[in-house]
Amino acid sequence: MAFKNKTVLLYFIFIFKSQANEMQFSAEINSAISSANTSYATLSEKKNTTLENWIYIDTTGKSELSQQLSVIYKISSLVYNATLDGNESPISAYNTYLGLESRLGTILVGRNDTVFKFSEGNIDLFNSTNADIGNLAAGQTISADAIWYYSPKMMNIITINSTYLMGSNQDSTTEKTNAQYALTAVMGDKNLTEQNYYLATAYNKGIDNINALRQVMQIKMNNIYLGGLYQYTKSTTSTEKNLKGSTYFISLKYSLDRVNLKAEYGKDTSGLGWYFTNATGGSTSNINRSQYSNIQVKQITLGADYMLTASTRLYSQMSFFRGRYKNSGISNQLKNDNILTFGIDFNL
């Protein structure tokens, strides 16, 4: 425990030194209370009324090597000091990389969101909460020991991006294809500022034990944001050999001054999202899901945000999960799950 405390202290000492060297530091602190019928979606991994806490800290920097070439870097972690889980593991690895940036594009090496995950843009209105689209949509993966390439924005419209995992570095217990990579083509602006539309096509080969194709769209019309995601996913794991199907989400947000009203509907027939996996024994179990069929999981989330300041957001949301499937032809119903959440999010 003493060693882990020293690790935390050294991390923060590094951050303050980074500040002195004009590196950028940011942090996000999220604290919420939720009430759920099951533990399948909650961040606390517990049912009933629980606290859901997480802290994200981040340092980024850029150093010019020449007028055409720069080194860029990022060091970030999730901190769980506010939870009992943090007693043993106060810091969790998060996006950390070193890269080169030029007019020909950007190359990163390290740990980061795969380009397949990043293709979601901002259509997930409840990102990083118990209503995250990852509950239904597979492939929301942060990969390590990998290489990323991001092209420059061609004609100020389109970028081509990729993630390639170094196979020999990956977990030896993971079932892998010959190559693990992801590719995306992105048009528009995910923040909907430079353009009022965002379009993405993404393909995932082998990463996180799935092959998947994804289409994403979001548009802005005055104060209304409308988004959609469609994905077809197939498992590459022998114990899930028959798990395949479609996932889609529709999201709608209305912004009025400091208030955001949000609604999201999703449906999944692949059974490869977090929710169905947790509902049928979890990802670390030895359960053979190869006989599962006729999977259907639905999610509806309604919520509202209120911006107290530019850095502080109050939020509330209500999620409804319903599901069913067959195991060797026998019908099974997932327990109805309703999750009510109130939280506060602070950005530094």
Side-chain angles (χ1 to χ4, degrees), residues 120-141:
E120 72 178 88
N122 289 323
I123 70 132
D124 187 1
L125 303 180
F126 303 95
N127 185 50
S128 298
T129 72
N130 51 43
D132 192 291
I133 66 169
N135 282 309
L136 270 59
Q140 295 297 97
T141 310

Side-chain angles (χ1 to χ4, degrees), residues 102-304:
S102 74
R103 61 183 180 86
L104 299 177
T106 301
I107 295 176
L108 306 177
V109 179
R111 179 191 298 270
N112 200 19
D113 293 2
T114 66
V115 295
F116 186 83
K117 177 182 186 297
F118 197 73
S119 69
E120 72 178 88
N122 289 323
I123 70 132
D124 187 1
L125 303 180
F126 303 95
N127 185 50
S128 298
T129 72
N130 51 43
D132 192 291
I133 66 169
N135 282 309
L136 270 59
Q140 295 297 97
T141 310
I142 297 175
S143 290
D145 291 317
I147 300 171
W148 284 258
Y149 170 72
Y150 303 89
S151 79
K153 200 168 188 178
M154 296 173 283
M155 298 179 292
N156 200 36
I157 295 178
I158 188 169
T159 60
I160 307 296
N161 315 296
S162 64
T163 301
Y164 180 81
L165 271 59
M166 302 301 292
S168 298
N169 288 97
Q170 303 307 310
D171 187 349
S172 60
T173 63
T174 300
E175 297 187 43
K176 300 185 286 291
T177 57
N178 291 330
Q180 298 178 85
Y181 60 89
L183 302 169
T184 63
V186 176
M187 295 180 64
D189 174 22
K190 77 166 189 173
N191 296 316
L192 303 177
T193 52
E194 295 182 10
Q195 286 101 11
N196 64 349
Y197 66 91
Y198 173 81
L199 301 170
T201 297
Y203 177 69
N204 185 93
K205 175 69 172 178
I207 299 176
D208 204 21
N209 294 324
I210 62 166
N211 295 333
L213 180 65
R214 172 182 288 183
Q215 304 283 340
V216 182
M217 175 277 295
Q218 189 175 32
I219 57 174
K220 178 184 177 183
M221 301 172 290
N222 297 320
N223 295 332
I224 298 174
Y225 298 76
L226 177 65
L229 177 149
Y230 172 80
Q231 178 174 319
Y232 181 82
T233 315
K234 179 178 174 60
S235 176
T236 62
T237 304
S238 60
T239 56
E240 298 177 339
K241 62 183 179 181
N242 292 322
L243 293 194
K244 57 185 176 181
S246 299
T247 309
Y248 65 82
F249 274 90
I250 299 173
S251 65
L252 177 66
K253 180 174 76 170
Y254 179 72
S255 295
L256 180 63
D257 196 16
R258 296 186 177 186
V259 177
N260 294 313
L261 302 177
K262 305 183 296 186
E264 205 163 80
Y265 173 79
K267 181 179 178 180
D268 173 58
T269 61
S270 73
L272 293 167
W274 304 329
Y275 191 88
F276 185 78
T277 298
N278 291 336
T280 54
S283 59
T284 59
S285 68
N286 295 318
I287 292 175
N288 189 335
R289 297 183 175 91
S290 60
Q291 299 304 313
Y292 290 5
S293 63
N294 297 88
I295 298 167
Q296 186 176 109
V297 182
K298 296 180 180 180
Q299 173 184 344
I300 299 174
T301 306
L302 304 173

